[in-house]
Amino acid sequence: MSNSGNETGLPHQFVTRQRRPEKKKSPPRRLPPYHVVLLNDYDHTYEYVIEMLSTVFGYNPTKGFSMAHQLNPQGRVIVATTHKEHAELKRDQIHAFGRDWRLERCQGAMSAVIEPAQ
C-alpha cells in the first residue's frame, strides 16, 4: 500500500500562515546630545591634561594642547558631545584618571560635568 511518504497513513495537512502587514519603518530616533565639560582647577599641568585627554578620548597631543589652552581663560572646555550614557561614562573616566603626579599640591583628578547640548 502506498501512502505517499506518510508512514501513518494519514493525509498530509498543510498550514498556511497569513503574513503580517509590514510596519512602516520610521527613521531611528536620535538621542539628545550632552556635552562633557572639563573644568579648570589650576592644580593640573598641561602635560596632565594632554595625557588624560589622549587616554580617555584618544585625542592627539595637538588637540589635547588646544583644549588645555582653552581651560585657562575660560575655566572650562567642552571635550566631547555624545548621548547621555556615553557622556556619563567619559565624565566618570575623567574623575577616575587620578592625580597629577607632577604637582605636589594636586589632590586628585580633574573635575568634569555633563550638561545638555543646546
Side-chain angles (χ1 to χ4, degrees):
M1 160 155 67
S2 172
N3 48 10
S4 304
N6 186 347
E7 300 293 324
T8 62
L10 298 174
H12 290 286
Q13 292 184 356
F14 294 98
V15 177
T16 57
R17 294 185 182 173
Q18 298 268 335
R19 283 190 161 204
R20 293 181 186 172
E22 289 187 25
K23 294 181 183 178
K24 291 183 181 177
K25 291 187 178 184
S26 59
R29 288 188 322 159
R30 293 181 89 46
L31 296 172
Y34 280 78
H35 293 309
V36 181
V37 181
L38 185 63
L39 305 175
N40 193 8
D41 57 12
Y42 302 102
D43 283 337
H44 297 87
T45 61
Y46 271 55
E47 291 82 10
Y48 173 90
V49 176
I50 293 166
E51 179 184 337
M52 183 269 299
L53 291 173
S54 174
T55 301
V56 174
F57 296 95
Y59 294 155
N60 65 43
T62 303
K63 184 166 185 164
F65 178 82
S66 175
M67 289 183 163
H69 190 67
Q70 290 177 39
L71 274 173
N72 279 337
Q74 298 174 3
R76 57 190 277 133
V77 64
I78 296 171
V79 293
T81 302
T82 184
H83 60 84
K84 187 175 184 180
E85 185 176 303
H86 193 237
E88 290 171 337
L89 170 69
K90 292 303 181 183
R91 176 204 55 207
D92 293 347
Q93 288 175 334
I94 291 169
H95 292 167
F97 194 72
R99 65 180 292 275
D100 186 349
W101 56 270
R102 297 166 191 90
L103 291 176
E104 273 192 49
R105 72 176 185 259
C106 181
Q107 297 297 310
M110 293 191 77
S111 295
V113 295
I114 65 167
E115 51 191 40
Q118 309 226 353

